[in-house]
Amino acid sequence: MAKMTMVQALNLALSQEMEKDDSVMVLGEDVGVDGGVFRVTDGLIDKYGDQRVIDTPLAEAGIVGMSIGMAVYGLRPVCEIQFSGFSYQNFHQIENHASRLRWRSQGRFHVPMVLRTPYSGGVRALEHHSESREAYYAHTPGIKMVIPSGPRNARALLISAIRDPDPVIFYESKALYRAFREEVPEEEETFPIGTSQIVREGTDLTMISYGTMMRPALEAASILQEKDGVETEVIDLLTISPLDDALFVQSVHKTGRAVVIHEAPGSFGPGAEIVSRIMEKAFFYLEAPIERVTGYDIIIPLFSRENSYIPSAQRIVRAAKKVLST
Amino acid sequence: MPKTKIDVPGEVHFLSILNEYGNLDKTLEPDIAEDVLLKLYHYLLLGRRFDERLISLQRQGRIGTFPPISGQEAAHLGAVATMRPSDWMVPSFRETAAELWRGRTLESVILYNNGYNEGVRIPESSNDLPVSVPVGSQILHAVGLGYAIKYRQKDDVVMTFFGDGATSEGDFHEGLNFAGVFQTPVIFVCQNNQWAISMPRSKQTRSKTLAQKALSYAVPGIQVDGNDILAVYAAAQEAVASARSGEGSTLIECVTYRMAVHTTADDPKRYRTDEEVAEWQKRDPLVRFQKYLKDKGLLTDDGIEATEAEITEKIQNAVDSAEEEMKSLGNPLDMFDHAYAELPPRLIEQREALARELEEIQKESNHG
Ligand SMILES: Cc1ncc(C[n+]2csc(CCOP(=O)(O)OP(=O)(O)O)c2C)c(N)n1
Ligand SMILES: [Mg+2]
């Protein structure tokens, strides 16, 4: 076991899958010689060569469209879109083709590709480099949307994503890339896509979140316990779509109270779907209205104000207290 | 039917007027008024010195990541200098000297680079769009502006900027094609600085030039020495005149070099050699133009020193006043400004919730 950052853990996943399966390919802007602007693909070109680690021209539609073709042929492309803010240039390829080729060919073809891309704010980045738009992808039938929250689950989920028979959008939090290290076992580890996880057990309140927001959520849970003796159950979704509602519904059966947290704008965000599932499946267990703590319905401001936009542990504690007081 | 050769119209020329040794081709020398030449020199130097200052501010943590322009000043300045104030500039993100020429303030550049939305405000006197980070995406806006100008029967023109990497994006090709089809008054200026982050120009496209890409859309394309401000000026002047007189668009490929990092988050040692950079150092647009002005008797060593001093002071004042201004900015509630013409009810609720939260935090910290 070695302690790794999320960047190193993702690199390990790619490297091990490429070692094991020569159909796994990496392509994107600056992923080869430069090793990716965040260094996730560092060193892969030296190990696996430029036929499999492909520095492409600057064209996102090209990268994703080509990945679809490679996947149809039987390869396992893992493409990188340098920042999710530039994945709209390739959105039509996801919406029109990656998500529906299985359906459009009545099962004859499928698109086992992964699109890795960094999302979220909190790193003083340039304009267009801080958005969280997982809802676009979660809203698109036919694709899977995964967002890990730490080095170990990032590594395991990426391997599962590569082996998944359907297209997976894999959002990586820039704020978590180097935020902390975790033990990551050398031997292979996978994690089933479409499965969430309880990361802290509790009986008074359920918090549901994912990605960057797991840290403020867990911090809020600690504050609530220390200051008020509240036992919070914290659930890490890990996969946004298909949404694993069984675990959080079960948790709400127990706690009767829930707070949903994400950095993306609130309106029409994943939180809206999560709350609806609770209403559908746990309404009679609820003791209080559910609260959402999310980004505001505006474009995330340039970085001098981003910390006021991004949900903080304090904001989550406030929402939790509101839920607990009814 | 026999197989016959089709004469596809168009050819690509390379234009150089003041070469890297400072030698001038007098027959091609554009006729530029002396005060304009000196103003160009001032902005070339301002662009360079401001860039250097921004890098040091970034290293000190006083601003965030930004894309330096060093080495490319002539490529964008020479082009915008041929426009009227009422014309439109549609920039990407590596044309700071041109933006300053067009009236953007040094303060606004500092504010933007330090993460303040206030830094994207365009002065009322100018028609320019704010910088555009998504590569190539702004090119089509220039075509739309050009179409609107033509529809309103005005004789203004639009000049849009982008890099060599941008020529791989679909938006670039769509922009040129639309410009060809609609004969819009748009000048496409490609700053071919040889690199798109770690991708060398040779791997971006197998085409010999970027200028030739225009030909497939029936738009003329020319390649110029982008470190030769006279060549850039001459080519742009011709393109602007032709656009203004209703003859449509031109693509100008300025061959230049990104002397510095891609952005301050980049490490070029991973992908290019110091020798290559040193080779281009010799072709510095600033040194060359300085020699030209001296040879012409327009500039003396004292004059250079005076300009340097004036610029140092200008930059210092801008840094001071931007840092002063930042103290009064940063109210989180301002992030709701300019979201819509009128703030929808849900956003009013969110804004009020944040205001209450800020008040409570204030109270708590007063108690604590
Ligand atoms: C659509 C899009 N994709 C990727 C990026 C990330 N990125 C920023 S600049 C850049 C390279 C641009 O190269 P070029 O067009 O040559 O301009 P230069 O940076 O050299 O001025 C890349 C890949 C982006 N900003 N926009
Ligand atoms: Mg370039």
mmCIF file of all heavy atoms in Angstrom, chain B residues 24-59:
data_model
loop_
_atom_site.group_PDB
_atom_site.id
_atom_site.type_symbol
_atom_site.label_atom_id
_atom_site.label_comp_id
_atom_site.label_asym_id
_atom_site.label_seq_id
_atom_site.Cartn_x
_atom_site.Cartn_y
_atom_site.Cartn_z
ATOM 1 N N LEU B 24 15.415 46.353 -43.702
ATOM 2 C CA LEU B 24 14.113 46.815 -44.172
ATOM 3 C C LEU B 24 13.971 46.665 -45.684
ATOM 4 O O LEU B 24 14.877 47.017 -46.431
ATOM 5 C CB LEU B 24 13.973 48.296 -43.794
ATOM 6 C CG LEU B 24 12.716 49.007 -44.257
ATOM 7 C CD1 LEU B 24 11.510 48.536 -43.448
ATOM 8 C CD2 LEU B 24 12.880 50.519 -44.099
ATOM 9 N N ASP B 25 12.837 46.125 -46.114
ATOM 10 C CA ASP B 25 12.518 46.121 -47.539
ATOM 11 C C ASP B 25 11.748 47.408 -47.831
ATOM 12 O O ASP B 25 10.549 47.507 -47.590
ATOM 13 C CB ASP B 25 11.666 44.894 -47.876
ATOM 14 C CG ASP B 25 11.403 44.782 -49.375
ATOM 15 O OD1 ASP B 25 11.381 45.842 -50.061
ATOM 16 O OD2 ASP B 25 11.213 43.650 -49.860
ATOM 17 N N LYS B 26 12.482 48.382 -48.355
ATOM 18 C CA LYS B 26 11.911 49.727 -48.517
ATOM 19 C C LYS B 26 10.712 49.761 -49.454
ATOM 20 O O LYS B 26 9.802 50.566 -49.300
ATOM 21 C CB LYS B 26 12.990 50.688 -49.021
ATOM 22 C CG LYS B 26 13.842 51.269 -47.905
ATOM 23 C CD LYS B 26 14.271 52.698 -48.269
ATOM 24 C CE LYS B 26 14.885 53.463 -47.101
ATOM 25 N NZ LYS B 26 13.915 53.867 -46.102
ATOM 26 N N THR B 27 10.737 48.846 -50.440
ATOM 27 C CA THR B 27 9.635 48.862 -51.408
ATOM 28 C C THR B 27 8.308 48.467 -50.770
ATOM 29 O O THR B 27 7.240 48.772 -51.283
ATOM 30 C CB THR B 27 9.914 47.885 -52.577
ATOM 31 O OG1 THR B 27 10.063 46.574 -52.008
ATOM 32 C CG2 THR B 27 11.174 48.253 -53.330
ATOM 33 N N LEU B 28 8.397 47.744 -49.654
ATOM 34 C CA LEU B 28 7.167 47.268 -49.010
ATOM 35 C C LEU B 28 6.806 48.064 -47.764
ATOM 36 O O LEU B 28 5.750 47.856 -47.167
ATOM 37 C CB LEU B 28 7.326 45.786 -48.628
ATOM 38 C CG LEU B 28 7.425 44.793 -49.783
ATOM 39 C CD1 LEU B 28 7.811 43.407 -49.264
ATOM 40 C CD2 LEU B 28 6.111 44.718 -50.551
ATOM 41 N N GLU B 29 7.691 48.961 -47.364
ATOM 42 C CA GLU B 29 7.493 49.690 -46.103
ATOM 43 C C GLU B 29 6.154 50.435 -46.103
ATOM 44 O O GLU B 29 5.878 51.255 -46.964
ATOM 45 C CB GLU B 29 8.639 50.700 -45.923
ATOM 46 C CG GLU B 29 8.583 51.420 -44.595
ATOM 47 C CD GLU B 29 9.703 52.474 -44.465
ATOM 48 O OE1 GLU B 29 10.425 52.733 -45.465
ATOM 49 O OE2 GLU B 29 9.820 53.035 -43.363
ATOM 50 N N PRO B 30 5.285 50.133 -45.112
ATOM 51 C CA PRO B 30 4.001 50.836 -45.081
ATOM 52 C C PRO B 30 4.182 52.286 -44.651
ATOM 53 O O PRO B 30 5.141 52.617 -43.949
ATOM 54 C CB PRO B 30 3.193 50.057 -44.038
ATOM 55 C CG PRO B 30 4.192 49.369 -43.182
ATOM 56 C CD PRO B 30 5.430 49.172 -44.002
ATOM 57 N N ASP B 31 3.276 53.097 -45.108
ATOM 58 C CA ASP B 31 3.352 54.518 -44.795
ATOM 59 C C ASP B 31 2.599 54.761 -43.481
ATOM 60 O O ASP B 31 1.372 54.859 -43.470
ATOM 61 C CB ASP B 31 2.713 55.303 -45.958
ATOM 62 C CG ASP B 31 2.841 56.798 -45.734
ATOM 63 O OD1 ASP B 31 3.692 57.205 -44.911
ATOM 64 O OD2 ASP B 31 2.066 57.554 -46.370
ATOM 65 N N ILE B 32 3.344 54.836 -42.411
ATOM 66 C CA ILE B 32 2.710 55.014 -41.099
ATOM 67 C C ILE B 32 3.195 56.342 -40.521
ATOM 68 O O ILE B 32 4.399 56.612 -40.513
ATOM 69 C CB ILE B 32 3.090 53.864 -40.132
ATOM 70 C CG1 ILE B 32 2.806 52.499 -40.777
ATOM 71 C CG2 ILE B 32 2.342 53.989 -38.807
ATOM 72 C CD1 ILE B 32 3.225 51.298 -39.937
ATOM 73 N N ALA B 33 2.250 57.152 -40.052
ATOM 74 C CA ALA B 33 2.615 58.463 -39.503
ATOM 75 C C ALA B 33 3.562 58.291 -38.317
ATOM 76 O O ALA B 33 3.503 57.293 -37.597
ATOM 77 C CB ALA B 33 1.359 59.215 -39.073
ATOM 78 N N GLU B 34 4.429 59.305 -38.129
ATOM 79 C CA GLU B 34 5.449 59.188 -37.082
ATOM 80 C C GLU B 34 4.844 59.012 -35.693
ATOM 81 O O GLU B 34 5.329 58.228 -34.878
ATOM 82 C CB GLU B 34 6.349 60.429 -37.095
ATOM 83 C CG GLU B 34 7.300 60.414 -38.272
ATOM 84 C CD GLU B 34 8.245 61.611 -38.297
ATOM 85 O OE1 GLU B 34 8.222 62.410 -37.326
ATOM 86 O OE2 GLU B 34 8.994 61.730 -39.276
ATOM 87 N N ASP B 35 3.772 59.753 -35.420
ATOM 88 C CA ASP B 35 3.196 59.616 -34.072
ATOM 89 C C ASP B 35 2.611 58.222 -33.863
ATOM 90 O O ASP B 35 2.650 57.674 -32.760
ATOM 91 C CB ASP B 35 2.148 60.710 -33.805
ATOM 92 C CG ASP B 35 1.011 60.678 -34.818
ATOM 93 O OD1 ASP B 35 1.262 60.297 -35.978
ATOM 94 O OD2 ASP B 35 -0.127 61.022 -34.444
ATOM 95 N N VAL B 36 2.106 57.626 -34.943
ATOM 96 C CA VAL B 36 1.570 56.260 -34.817
ATOM 97 C C VAL B 36 2.710 55.270 -34.587
ATOM 98 O O VAL B 36 2.612 54.358 -33.757
ATOM 99 C CB VAL B 36 0.740 55.877 -36.062
ATOM 100 C CG1 VAL B 36 0.249 54.441 -35.975
ATOM 101 C CG2 VAL B 36 -0.435 56.839 -36.239
ATOM 102 N N LEU B 37 3.823 55.482 -35.288
ATOM 103 C CA LEU B 37 4.975 54.596 -35.088
ATOM 104 C C LEU B 37 5.433 54.643 -33.626
ATOM 105 O O LEU B 37 5.712 53.608 -33.015
ATOM 106 C CB LEU B 37 6.132 55.012 -36.006
ATOM 107 C CG LEU B 37 5.972 54.653 -37.488
ATOM 108 C CD1 LEU B 37 7.084 55.293 -38.318
ATOM 109 C CD2 LEU B 37 5.983 53.134 -37.689
ATOM 110 N N LEU B 38 5.484 55.856 -33.088
ATOM 111 C CA LEU B 38 5.940 55.991 -31.701
ATOM 112 C C LEU B 38 4.927 55.418 -30.717
ATOM 113 O O LEU B 38 5.281 54.828 -29.703
ATOM 114 C CB LEU B 38 6.249 57.459 -31.376
ATOM 115 C CG LEU B 38 7.531 57.964 -32.050
ATOM 116 C CD1 LEU B 38 7.711 59.460 -31.841
ATOM 117 C CD2 LEU B 38 8.770 57.209 -31.533
ATOM 118 N N LYS B 39 3.669 55.575 -31.067
ATOM 119 C CA LYS B 39 2.630 55.000 -30.204
ATOM 120 C C LYS B 39 2.718 53.464 -30.236
ATOM 121 O O LYS B 39 2.574 52.794 -29.216
ATOM 122 C CB LYS B 39 1.250 55.473 -30.688
ATOM 123 C CG LYS B 39 0.122 55.114 -29.740
ATOM 124 C CD LYS B 39 -1.227 55.668 -30.189
ATOM 125 C CE LYS B 39 -2.340 54.940 -29.451
ATOM 126 N NZ LYS B 39 -3.659 55.132 -30.017
ATOM 127 N N LEU B 40 2.990 52.940 -31.420
ATOM 128 C CA LEU B 40 3.153 51.485 -31.529
ATOM 129 C C LEU B 40 4.316 51.022 -30.654
ATOM 130 O O LEU B 40 4.219 50.016 -29.946
ATOM 131 C CB LEU B 40 3.413 51.084 -32.990
ATOM 132 C CG LEU B 40 2.187 50.949 -33.878
ATOM 133 C CD1 LEU B 40 2.605 50.771 -35.342
ATOM 134 C CD2 LEU B 40 1.312 49.767 -33.433
ATOM 135 N N TYR B 41 5.401 51.772 -30.714
ATOM 136 C CA TYR B 41 6.557 51.414 -29.892
ATOM 137 C C TYR B 41 6.184 51.448 -28.413
ATOM 138 O O TYR B 41 6.499 50.520 -27.648
ATOM 139 C CB TYR B 41 7.730 52.362 -30.163
ATOM 140 C CG TYR B 41 8.903 52.066 -29.265
ATOM 141 C CD1 TYR B 41 9.621 50.878 -29.415
ATOM 142 C CD2 TYR B 41 9.279 52.939 -28.248
ATOM 143 C CE1 TYR B 41 10.674 50.564 -28.570
ATOM 144 C CE2 TYR B 41 10.330 52.645 -27.404
ATOM 145 C CZ TYR B 41 11.025 51.450 -27.570
ATOM 146 O OH TYR B 41 12.060 51.143 -26.731
ATOM 147 N N HIS B 42 5.472 52.479 -28.032
ATOM 148 C CA HIS B 42 5.060 52.613 -26.632
ATOM 149 C C HIS B 42 4.251 51.392 -26.186
ATOM 150 O O HIS B 42 4.505 50.807 -25.130
ATOM 151 C CB HIS B 42 4.225 53.889 -26.452
ATOM 152 C CG HIS B 42 3.795 54.137 -25.044
ATOM 153 N ND1 HIS B 42 4.483 54.983 -24.210
ATOM 154 C CD2 HIS B 42 2.765 53.631 -24.315
ATOM 155 C CE1 HIS B 42 3.894 54.982 -23.014
ATOM 156 N NE2 HIS B 42 2.846 54.182 -23.062
ATOM 157 N N TYR B 43 3.311 50.973 -27.016
ATOM 158 C CA TYR B 43 2.445 49.847 -26.618
ATOM 159 C C TYR B 43 3.155 48.503 -26.688
ATOM 160 O O TYR B 43 2.854 47.593 -25.914
ATOM 161 C CB TYR B 43 1.140 49.855 -27.426
ATOM 162 C CG TYR B 43 0.144 50.804 -26.802
ATOM 163 C CD1 TYR B 43 0.161 52.164 -27.116
ATOM 164 C CD2 TYR B 43 -0.757 50.364 -25.843
ATOM 165 C CE1 TYR B 43 -0.719 53.049 -26.506
ATOM 166 C CE2 TYR B 43 -1.645 51.240 -25.232
ATOM 167 C CZ TYR B 43 -1.621 52.583 -25.562
ATOM 168 O OH TYR B 43 -2.485 53.448 -24.946
ATOM 169 N N LEU B 44 4.113 48.394 -27.632
ATOM 170 C CA LEU B 44 4.920 47.169 -27.672
ATOM 171 C C LEU B 44 5.655 47.004 -26.350
ATOM 172 O O LEU B 44 5.657 45.939 -25.732
ATOM 173 C CB LEU B 44 5.972 47.265 -28.787
ATOM 174 C CG LEU B 44 5.663 46.740 -30.172
ATOM 175 C CD1 LEU B 44 6.867 46.979 -31.085
ATOM 176 C CD2 LEU B 44 5.358 45.246 -30.136
ATOM 177 N N LEU B 45 6.278 48.106 -25.940
ATOM 178 C CA LEU B 45 7.069 48.074 -24.713
ATOM 179 C C LEU B 45 6.162 47.907 -23.486
ATOM 180 O O LEU B 45 6.473 47.144 -22.571
ATOM 181 C CB LEU B 45 7.887 49.367 -24.607
ATOM 182 C CG LEU B 45 9.024 49.363 -23.596
ATOM 183 C CD1 LEU B 45 10.063 48.299 -23.939
ATOM 184 C CD2 LEU B 45 9.697 50.740 -23.551
ATOM 185 N N LEU B 46 5.033 48.602 -23.521
ATOM 186 C CA LEU B 46 4.079 48.486 -22.412
ATOM 187 C C LEU B 46 3.599 47.035 -22.280
ATOM 188 O O LEU B 46 3.544 46.483 -21.173
ATOM 189 C CB LEU B 46 2.881 49.416 -22.648
ATOM 190 C CG LEU B 46 1.740 49.344 -21.621
ATOM 191 C CD1 LEU B 46 2.225 49.800 -20.246
ATOM 192 C CD2 LEU B 46 0.557 50.204 -22.068
ATOM 193 N N GLY B 47 3.291 46.425 -23.424
ATOM 194 C CA GLY B 47 2.838 45.030 -23.412
ATOM 195 C C GLY B 47 3.886 44.131 -22.774
ATOM 196 O O GLY B 47 3.578 43.282 -21.933
ATOM 197 N N ARG B 48 5.135 44.338 -23.161
ATOM 198 C CA ARG B 48 6.222 43.507 -22.645
ATOM 199 C C ARG B 48 6.430 43.720 -21.145
ATOM 200 O O ARG B 48 6.490 42.776 -20.364
ATOM 201 C CB ARG B 48 7.513 43.835 -23.418
ATOM 202 C CG ARG B 48 8.758 43.071 -22.990
ATOM 203 C CD ARG B 48 8.683 41.590 -23.299
ATOM 204 N NE ARG B 48 8.420 41.312 -24.703
ATOM 205 C CZ ARG B 48 9.376 41.185 -25.641
ATOM 206 N NH1 ARG B 48 10.653 41.322 -25.320
ATOM 207 N NH2 ARG B 48 9.053 40.918 -26.891
ATOM 208 N N ARG B 49 6.531 44.972 -20.755
ATOM 209 C CA ARG B 49 6.822 45.266 -19.339
ATOM 210 C C ARG B 49 5.650 44.891 -18.427
ATOM 211 O O ARG B 49 5.845 44.434 -17.318
ATOM 212 C CB ARG B 49 7.170 46.749 -19.155
ATOM 213 C CG ARG B 49 8.417 47.205 -19.900
ATOM 214 C CD ARG B 49 9.701 46.617 -19.295
ATOM 215 N NE ARG B 49 10.842 46.972 -20.128
ATOM 216 C CZ ARG B 49 11.497 46.103 -20.912
ATOM 217 N NH1 ARG B 49 11.138 44.825 -20.939
ATOM 218 N NH2 ARG B 49 12.512 46.506 -21.659
ATOM 219 N N PHE B 50 4.459 45.086 -18.935
ATOM 220 C CA PHE B 50 3.273 44.733 -18.140
ATOM 221 C C PHE B 50 3.226 43.217 -17.939
ATOM 222 O O PHE B 50 2.935 42.718 -16.851
ATOM 223 C CB PHE B 50 2.014 45.232 -18.860
ATOM 224 C CG PHE B 50 0.744 45.115 -18.058
ATOM 225 C CD1 PHE B 50 0.708 45.435 -16.703
ATOM 226 C CD2 PHE B 50 -0.439 44.691 -18.669
ATOM 227 C CE1 PHE B 50 -0.479 45.331 -15.973
ATOM 228 C CE2 PHE B 50 -1.625 44.587 -17.940
ATOM 229 C CZ PHE B 50 -1.639 44.906 -16.592
ATOM 230 N N ASP B 51 3.548 42.489 -18.997
ATOM 231 C CA ASP B 51 3.599 41.029 -18.918
ATOM 232 C C ASP B 51 4.585 40.587 -17.834
ATOM 233 O O ASP B 51 4.285 39.725 -17.009
ATOM 234 C CB ASP B 51 4.084 40.506 -20.279
ATOM 235 C CG ASP B 51 3.406 39.216 -20.686
ATOM 236 O OD1 ASP B 51 2.187 39.113 -20.511
ATOM 237 O OD2 ASP B 51 4.105 38.318 -21.192
ATOM 238 N N GLU B 52 5.764 41.204 -17.869
ATOM 239 C CA GLU B 52 6.792 40.839 -16.884
ATOM 240 C C GLU B 52 6.302 41.126 -15.465
ATOM 241 O O GLU B 52 6.517 40.346 -14.542
ATOM 242 C CB GLU B 52 8.098 41.610 -17.174
ATOM 243 C CG GLU B 52 8.774 41.147 -18.461
ATOM 244 C CD GLU B 52 9.804 42.141 -19.011
ATOM 245 O OE1 GLU B 52 9.966 43.245 -18.422
ATOM 246 O OE2 GLU B 52 10.434 41.833 -20.033
ATOM 247 N N ARG B 53 5.614 42.265 -15.335
ATOM 248 C CA ARG B 53 5.117 42.629 -14.004
ATOM 249 C C ARG B 53 4.020 41.662 -13.553
ATOM 250 O O ARG B 53 3.992 41.241 -12.387
ATOM 251 C CB ARG B 53 4.579 44.062 -14.032
ATOM 252 C CG ARG B 53 4.209 44.606 -12.660
ATOM 253 C CD ARG B 53 5.451 44.713 -11.777
ATOM 254 N NE ARG B 53 5.121 44.873 -10.372
ATOM 255 C CZ ARG B 53 4.846 46.026 -9.774
ATOM 256 N NH1 ARG B 53 4.894 47.151 -10.465
ATOM 257 N NH2 ARG B 53 4.558 46.073 -8.501
ATOM 258 N N LEU B 54 3.165 41.272 -14.478
ATOM 259 C CA LEU B 54 2.092 40.331 -14.130
ATOM 260 C C LEU B 54 2.674 38.993 -13.681
ATOM 261 O O LEU B 54 2.191 38.377 -12.736
ATOM 262 C CB LEU B 54 1.140 40.125 -15.316
ATOM 263 C CG LEU B 54 0.226 41.304 -15.673
ATOM 264 C CD1 LEU B 54 -0.584 40.983 -16.931
ATOM 265 C CD2 LEU B 54 -0.723 41.648 -14.529
ATOM 266 N N ILE B 55 3.731 38.567 -14.372
ATOM 267 C CA ILE B 55 4.361 37.299 -13.966
ATOM 268 C C ILE B 55 4.868 37.416 -12.532
ATOM 269 O O ILE B 55 4.651 36.524 -11.706
ATOM 270 C CB ILE B 55 5.498 36.902 -14.935
ATOM 271 C CG1 ILE B 55 4.859 36.524 -16.275
ATOM 272 C CG2 ILE B 55 6.340 35.757 -14.366
ATOM 273 C CD1 ILE B 55 5.666 35.665 -17.186
ATOM 274 N N SER B 56 5.491 38.543 -12.214
ATOM 275 C CA SER B 56 6.009 38.644 -10.850
ATOM 276 C C SER B 56 4.868 38.766 -9.834
ATOM 277 O O SER B 56 4.947 38.201 -8.752
ATOM 278 C CB SER B 56 7.072 39.740 -10.727
ATOM 279 O OG SER B 56 6.476 40.970 -10.447
ATOM 280 N N LEU B 57 3.797 39.445 -10.208
ATOM 281 C CA LEU B 57 2.638 39.502 -9.301
ATOM 282 C C LEU B 57 2.069 38.102 -9.077
ATOM 283 O O LEU B 57 1.679 37.740 -7.967
ATOM 284 C CB LEU B 57 1.535 40.408 -9.871
ATOM 285 C CG LEU B 57 1.790 41.914 -9.894
ATOM 286 C CD1 LEU B 57 0.647 42.630 -10.599
ATOM 287 C CD2 LEU B 57 1.970 42.460 -8.480
ATOM 288 N N GLN B 58 2.039 37.323 -10.155
ATOM 289 C CA GLN B 58 1.500 35.966 -10.033
ATOM 290 C C GLN B 58 2.397 35.131 -9.118
ATOM 291 O O GLN B 58 1.899 34.422 -8.247
ATOM 292 C CB GLN B 58 1.398 35.335 -11.428
ATOM 293 C CG GLN B 58 0.509 34.110 -11.482
ATOM 294 C CD GLN B 58 1.216 32.846 -11.015
ATOM 295 O OE1 GLN B 58 2.440 32.716 -11.104
ATOM 296 N NE2 GLN B 58 0.441 31.898 -10.501
ATOM 297 N N ARG B 59 3.696 35.259 -9.293
ATOM 298 C CA ARG B 59 4.627 34.485 -8.459
ATOM 299 C C ARG B 59 4.498 34.867 -6.983
ATOM 300 O O ARG B 59 4.743 34.061 -6.106
ATOM 301 C CB ARG B 59 6.080 34.677 -8.910
ATOM 302 C CG ARG B 59 6.345 34.264 -10.357
ATOM 303 C CD ARG B 59 6.320 32.752 -10.575
ATOM 304 N NE ARG B 59 6.658 32.403 -11.948
ATOM 305 C CZ ARG B 59 5.977 31.552 -12.720
ATOM 306 N NH1 ARG B 59 4.895 30.943 -12.264
ATOM 307 N NH2 ARG B 59 6.367 31.287 -13.952
#
